[in-house]
């Protein structure tokens, strides 16, 4: 359980305001150094605030920029990871994010990121509630439609959303609070220091009170202007936080559990008819001819057939009729680009692609190799979109982590200018990287255009697993050299099927790295270098990626490269420790680079060495990424080697500032579950150009019975009171995967080299 203060329920946050004038001395100032944030009051009927990020004193005086500027070259040494690059790419358009207060006292913020189940809307609402001194239940978070003017500021990925929004959102809220307070003070004829904000109202001398709703018109302005003379409102000091850092329930939890939450296919779009697609028998196959079109058109409820590049769509009155129609189709298919490839062939090519090692001279060494199978994203909500293409214009509704790129792709697919496409982003029912791609939106637009009517497109579960995106398979070669008990070098050479990053993140990297050395590397190489590093002092350390250009449907899967790369390294660390005769926890503790890392390891490993029955064992793993760090200890029962089970897990995590510790716990639990699944049983068998798995019964993701019943998660307070949030969403997988692999090796005496450990075709595949 998180080691934090008492929880705050989402509708009743506690706030106790101090006068804004007093906060200027004790609180953080956004007007400090390179992270200066300038707040503006936007011309509007009610109080509306925008912010932009300035660089030292060079920030412009007006919030009118709409073109991205190159980052100053002097910042290059301050960019240790991909999150920093994405922050920098988002910088030029931060001022286009706005917060507004309505006359009923509700606070509205347009979130330029996607909620995919990570709890982002709750975290952002907490930031606003904290700085604005308003009950959390009055904050409304609206997911923004595609806004091309935001450029690289509308990409959800790389555990970056809270990091990039932490200061802009707080600054906007603080500016609004200051403006409301000064407005009340002016109306009451008192000094600003005599008023304070509390529970969505301004309180003055003698208990005089005015609600935010009552003040919002008077506080508004008819022209955009700096919020204060120095345009840098004071943020609350960490010691004054009453909402940030308190475990808080999700603001959308009730809607989700009661069925009120609206997902894409729940939307009431007038006239939109169900559609499903008959897909080829191999990935990337093509349609040559539909052999029984008229017979299918005559089936009950079938309204239309539309041939698209990815298959044949059946539009019908109901999804059942569309499904029956697509199953009845007889199609002559063309070949796909990977028809001759199967699992063993891909593994062999990856092994060959990973560069080997030359024998070291005069030093002892240890080597190991690991394979990881491809993995489906398998979100609960399958791929889907609603589209209405008529009269040279298109309106699309879909879950999207990269909506600007999606809008552009839809426009290209149907041959209209991007300005003729309205792309509405809908909250997603899971993602894990899947919603970075917009296959369904493109298909829906094409089908709608072909049918001449609005349609609602749904992929079947089989479609989603076989023709959807997957974590690419990888192969890893590792070697360490040592002498006199000390490591001299550590090398990791990873080969991976090419990861498709054509979803907008490449553009953001380009923008962020314009003036950095190495900015001309490929996107994938840049992502790898910015997200993979070793937390240890292991002598000369090198980590490299070789990509194999096979045309599989790959994509970023939770943890992207580190999910396999760092897991392989952490299992290799155990082997090195064993070769040197050192306890694996002590070996890690000796070689970690700093005290913050060791604190996390020590917290997770508090019960390391606990006696367990024969056939059961503990395993440990550590990982650091996106300025956060975690360690995981698992206890695994392998008395039945064919059905190993994780019994217990202890996770320690330091994410700097944990905005919502309950959300951090949820993310780490999700990472653990992904690790249990992909380390032990879940993967895709690629067979003659197509994955065999087509359902949850075949893709062996962990069930409740496979999950540990005892999970303890310790969210560690950062020693730095002014720490900012690190990345969380992708942090939990690598350490847990390694811990499971290491526990399996200790319990069975056999080190696993290929994951998932048990990977049989124990099912009858669906017909192609």
């Amino acid at each position: 359980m998180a080691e934090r203060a008492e929880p705050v329920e989402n509708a009743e946050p506690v706030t106790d305001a101090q006068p804004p004038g007093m906060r200027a001395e004790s609180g953080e100032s956004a007007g400090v150094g390179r992270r200066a944030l300038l707040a503006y009051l936007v011309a509007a009927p009610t109080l509306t605030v925008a912010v932009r990020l300035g660089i030292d004193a060079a920030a412009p005086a007006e919030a009118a920029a709409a073109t991205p500027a190159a980052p100053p070259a002097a910042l290059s040494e301050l960019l240790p990871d991909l999150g920093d690059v994405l922050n920098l790419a988002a910088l030029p358009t931060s001022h286009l994010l706005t917060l507004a207060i309505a006359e009923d006292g509700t606070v509205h913020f347009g979130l330029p990121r996607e909620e995919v189940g990570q709890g982002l809307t709750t975290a952002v609402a907490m930031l606003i509630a904290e700085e604005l001194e308003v009950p959390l239940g009055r904050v409304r978070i609206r997911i923004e439609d595609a806004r091309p003017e935001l450029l690289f500021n509308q990409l959800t990925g790389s555990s970056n959303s809270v990091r990039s929004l932490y200061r802009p959102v707080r600054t906007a809220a603080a500016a609004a609070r200051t403006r409301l307070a000064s407005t009340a003070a002016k109306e009451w004829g008192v000094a600003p220091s005599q008023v304070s904000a509390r529970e969505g109202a301004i309180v003055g001398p003698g208990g005089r009170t005015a609600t935010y709703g009552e003040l919002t018109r008077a506080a508004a302005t008819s022209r955009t202007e700096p919020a204060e003379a120095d345009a840098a409102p004071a943020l609350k000091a960490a010691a004054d936080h009453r909402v940030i850092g308190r475990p808080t329930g999700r603001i959308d939890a009730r809607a989700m559990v009661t069925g009120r939450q609206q997902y894409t296919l729940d939307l009431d779009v007038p006239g939109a008819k169900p559609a499903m697609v008959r897909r080829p028998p191999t990935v990337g196959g093509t349609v040559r001819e539909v052999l029984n079109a008229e017979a299918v058109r005559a089936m009950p409820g079938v309204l239309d057939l539309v041939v698209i590049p990815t298959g044949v769509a059946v539009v019908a009155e109901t999804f059942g009729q569309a499904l029956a129609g697509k199953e009845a189709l007889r199609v002559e298919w063309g070949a796909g680009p990977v028809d001759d490839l199967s699992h063993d062939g891909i593994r062999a090519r990856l092994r060959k692609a990973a560069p080997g090692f030359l024998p070291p001279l005069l030093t002892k060494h240890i080597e190991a190799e690991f394979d990881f199978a491809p993995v489906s994203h398998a979100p609960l909500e399958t791929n889907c979109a609603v589209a209405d293409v008529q009269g040279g214009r298109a309106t699309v509704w879909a879950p999207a982590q990269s909506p600007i790129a999606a809008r552009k792709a839809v426009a290209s697919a149907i041959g209209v200018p991007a300005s003729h496409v309205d792309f509405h982003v809908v909250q997603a029912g899971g993602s894990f990287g899947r919603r970075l791609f917009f296959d369904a939106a493109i298909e829906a637009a094409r089908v709608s255009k072909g049918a001449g009517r609005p349609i609602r497109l749904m992929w079947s579960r089989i479609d989603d697993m076989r023709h959807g995106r997957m974590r690419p398979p990888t192969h890893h070669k590792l070697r360490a050299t040592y002498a006199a008990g000390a490591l001299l070098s550590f090398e990791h050479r990873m080969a991976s099927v090419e990861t498709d990053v054509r979803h907008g993140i490449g553009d953001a990297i380009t923008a962020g790295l314009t003036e950095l050395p190495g900015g001309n590397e490929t996107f994938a190489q840049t992502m790898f270098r910015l997200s993979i590093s070793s937390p240890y002092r292991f002598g000369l350390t090198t980590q490299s990626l070789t990509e194999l250009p096979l045309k599989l449907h790959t994509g970023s899967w939770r943890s992207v490269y580190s999910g396999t790369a760092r897991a392989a390294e952490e299992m290799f660390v155990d082997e090195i420790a064993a070769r040197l005769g050192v306890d694996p926890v002590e070996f890690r503790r000796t070689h970690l680079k700093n005290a913050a890392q060791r604190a996390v390891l020590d917290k997770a490993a508090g019960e390391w060495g606990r006696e367990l029955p024969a056939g059961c064992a503990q395993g440990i793993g550590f990982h650091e990424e996106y300025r956060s760090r975690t360690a995981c200890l698992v206890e695994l029962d392998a008395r039945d080697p064919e059905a190993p089970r994780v019994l217990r897990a202890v996770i320690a995590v330091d994410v700097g500032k944990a905005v919502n510790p309950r959300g951090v716990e949820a993310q780490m639990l999700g990472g653990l579950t992904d690790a249990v699944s992909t380390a032990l049983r879940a993967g895709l068998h690629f067979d003659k150009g197509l994955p065999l798995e087509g359902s949850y019964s075949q893709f062996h993701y962990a069930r409740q019975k496979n999950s540990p019943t005892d999970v303890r998660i310790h969210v560690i307070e950062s020693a730095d009171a002014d720490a900012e949030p690190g990345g969380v969403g992708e942090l939990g997988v690598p350490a847990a995967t390694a811990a499971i692999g290491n526990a399996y090796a200790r319990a069975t005496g056999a080190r696993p080299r290929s994951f998932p450990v048990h990977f049989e075709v124990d099912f009858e595949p669906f017909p192609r």
Side-chain angles (χ1 to χ4, degrees):
M1 303 301 291
E3 295 183 335
R4 289 278 176 167
E6 292 301 314
V8 172
E9 296 306 323
N10 54 13
E12 298 294 336
V14 179
T15 56
D16 187 9
Q18 296 294 326
M22 294 175 62
R23 296 194 184 284
E25 296 183 1
S26 60
E28 298 177 69
S29 172
V32 176
R34 63 186 175 85
R35 295 177 297 192
L37 282 159
L38 312 178
Y40 291 84
L41 304 176
V42 178
T46 57
L47 180 57
T48 302
V49 181
V51 297
R52 69 175 304 166
L53 189 62
I55 303 300
D56 292 322
E62 296 184 3
T67 302
L75 289 182
S76 60
E77 70 275 13
L78 302 176
L79 300 175
D81 67 34
L82 183 58
D84 289 301
V85 173
L86 296 179
N87 285 350
L88 195 59
L91 183 155
T93 59
S94 291
H95 66 294
L96 298 176
L97 314 180
T98 58
L99 177 151
I101 301 176
E103 291 184 87
D104 63 359
T106 55
V107 182
H108 299 260
F109 180 74
L111 179 65
R113 302 289 189 276
E114 171 69 306
E115 172 65 82
V116 292
Q118 77 276 46
L120 177 61
T121 51
T122 300
V124 171
M126 291 173 68
L127 300 179
I128 294 170
E130 179 71 71
E131 293 292 346
L132 192 51
E133 303 285 6
V134 66
L136 188 59
R138 293 188 198 169
V139 181
R140 307 283 186 266
I141 305 297
R142 181 190 73 258
I143 298 175
E144 292 272 40
D145 297 338
R147 293 180 58 189
E149 71 276 14
L150 289 175
L151 296 170
F152 316 111
N153 201 355
Q154 201 173 13
L155 177 69
T156 308
S158 301
S159 302
N160 178 252
S161 294
V162 171
R163 288 182 68 184
S164 62
L165 295 170
Y166 183 66
R167 279 182 175 266
V169 170
R170 290 173 63 205
T171 299
R177 182 196 69 218
T178 303
R179 178 70 170 189
L180 290 163
S182 63
T183 299
K186 183 178 180 180
E187 291 192 351
W188 295 338
V190 301
S193 60
Q194 292 181 279
V195 304
S196 62
R198 185 181 306 159
E199 295 286 328
I202 301 297
V203 180
R208 190 171 185 178
T209 300
T211 67
Y212 287 176
E214 292 169 340
L215 292 168
T216 187
R217 275 194 173 274
T221 178
S222 60
R223 65 185 182 90
T224 298
E225 59 187 33
E228 298 295 333
D230 60 0
L235 304 182
K236 292 172 66 175
D240 295 333
H241 287 171
R242 306 293 297 271
V243 180
I244 294 175
R246 302 286 293 274
T248 303
R250 288 183 54 157
I251 61 175
D252 54 356
R254 185 179 297 277
M256 287 193 290
V257 300
T258 59
R260 287 191 290 108
Q261 181 65 46
Q262 291 269 297
Y263 297 98
T264 297
L265 294 181
D266 296 321
L267 301 178
D268 184 16
V269 177
K273 296 296 184 181
M276 299 187 75
V277 176
R278 177 68 182 268
R279 301 180 189 280
T282 58
V283 168
T286 58
V287 180
R288 286 181 176 166
E289 183 180 4
V290 180
L291 302 175
N292 62 339
E294 292 309 313
V296 174
R297 286 181 186 277
M299 291 178 64
V302 172
L303 300 172
D304 207 348
L305 301 184
V306 181
V307 177
I308 58 177
T310 49
V312 182
V314 178
V315 183
E317 292 287 354
T318 69
F319 275 114
Q321 292 166 336
L323 177 63
K326 90 173 183 101
E327 295 297 329
L329 278 170
R330 290 191 295 115
V331 183
E332 182 180 336
W333 301 102
V338 290
D339 287 7
D340 60 340
L341 282 177
S342 293
H343 185 72
D344 290 342
I346 295 173
R347 283 181 58 176
R349 294 178 69 165
L350 285 170
R351 284 178 174 170
K352 186 177 180 180
F357 299 111
L358 293 175
L361 298 175
L362 304 178
T363 57
K364 296 179 180 179
H365 69 284
I366 177 173
E367 295 182 0
E369 297 188 25
F370 298 92
D371 286 300
F372 290 86
V375 173
S376 171
H377 293 82
L380 193 60
E381 178 193 41
T382 62
N383 217 13
C384 59
V386 178
D388 184 3
V389 180
Q390 298 185 59
R393 298 193 63 88
T395 307
V396 178
W397 296 260
Q401 292 175 248
S402 185
I404 297 173
R407 173 178 178 265
K408 184 177 178 182
V410 167
S412 177
I414 59 175
V416 302
S419 59
H420 289 200
V421 178
D422 296 320
F423 197 105
H424 302 290
V425 183
V426 186
Q427 183 164 327
S431 175
F432 320 107
R434 179 68 181 93
R435 312 300 180 184
L436 283 164
F437 292 89
F438 23 84
D439 331 53
I442 294 172
E443 287 186 344
R446 284 174 165 154
V447 175
S448 177
K449 180 181 180 181
R453 65 168 76 226
I455 64 102
R456 52 180 72 240
L457 177 74
M458 179 175 68
W459 287 37
S460 71
R461 181 65 61 194
I462 300 175
D463 292 343
D464 223 32
M465 288 192 177
R466 287 182 161 178
H467 294 273
R469 300 285 168 169
M470 66 179 78
R471 182 182 78 179
T474 60
H475 182 76
H476 305 258
K477 293 178 179 175
L478 298 105
R479 181 173 72 178
T481 61
Y482 59 95
L487 281 180
L488 303 177
S489 67
F490 183 93
E491 296 176 82
H492 180 184
R493 297 176 179 179
M494 170 179 172
S496 172
V497 169
E498 185 178 58
T499 301
D500 192 341
V501 293
R502 296 171 300 165
H503 43 62
I505 196 167
D507 295 337
I509 291 174
T510 302
L513 294 179
T514 301
E515 294 190 5
L516 293 182
N520 60 341
E521 291 187 78
T522 65
F523 299 146
Q525 289 291 342
T526 305
M527 283 181 62
F528 180 81
R529 290 174 185 275
L530 289 171
S531 59
I532 298 295
S533 63
S534 173
Y536 302 107
R537 299 186 190 281
F538 278 164
L540 179 62
T541 299
T542 60
Q543 297 157 306
S544 65
L545 169 69
T546 300
E547 288 211 309
L548 199 59
L550 298 178
K551 298 303 178 187
L552 303 185
H553 285 168
T554 61
S556 297
W557 191 89
R558 192 175 197 175
S559 300
V560 197
Y561 299 112
S562 63
T564 59
R566 285 287 301 123
E569 291 181 3
E570 285 295 307
M571 288 185 278
F572 189 48
V573 168
D574 259 35
E575 296 189 47
I576 299 171
R579 175 68 65 87
L580 298 180
V582 183
D583 176 83
V585 171
E586 187 56 37
F587 184 75
R588 286 177 170 83
R589 184 183 290 114
T590 299
H591 290 87
L592 285 172
K593 295 176 180 176
N594 58 57
Q597 296 169 333
R598 287 188 286 275
V600 169
L601 176 68
D602 290 345
K603 190 66 179 180
E607 296 185 71
W608 176 252
R610 195 166 75 100
E611 187 173 346
L612 297 174
C616 299
Q618 293 180 321
I620 191 80
F622 181 89
H623 179 57
E624 186 173 61
E625 187 174 30
Y626 299 127
R627 299 192 178 189
S628 298
R629 55 205 61 86
T630 184
C632 178
L633 179 149
V634 302
E635 294 178 355
L636 181 135
D637 181 352
R639 285 174 287 189
D640 178 358
E642 300 301 313
R645 182 181 175 190
V646 177
L647 301 173
R648 185 167 179 263
V650 181
I651 299 171
V653 56
D654 174 2
V655 299
K657 172 64 69 178
V659 173
N660 183 5
R662 187 171 292 169
V664 174
E665 288 183 55
Q667 291 278 24
M668 300 309 293
L669 186 59
L672 172 66
T673 307
D674 283 339
V676 170
S677 305
T678 58
L680 296 179
R681 295 201 67 199
L684 296 178
H685 290 87
F686 207 77
D687 179 70
K688 298 177 183 176
L690 190 75
L692 294 180
E693 284 77 3
S695 73
Y696 284 128
S697 67
Q698 299 171 351
F699 177 69
H700 293 310
Y701 195 81
R703 310 297 202 268
Q704 191 69 40
K705 66 180 181 182
N706 306 121
S707 301
T709 55
D710 184 357
V711 179
R712 302 182 184 189
I713 302 173
H714 302 279
V715 181
I716 296 176
E717 292 274 7
S718 172
D720 180 4
D722 294 325
E724 297 204 3
V728 181
E730 315 199 54
L731 185 68
V733 177
T737 302
I740 293 167
N742 288 332
Y744 186 90
R746 290 164 64 88
T748 64
R751 295 193 182 280
R753 297 296 184 196
S754 185
F755 295 89
V757 173
H758 294 287
F759 192 39
E760 301 82 21
V761 181
D762 55 358
F763 54 87
E764 185 67 29
F766 295 111
R768 290 172 179 253

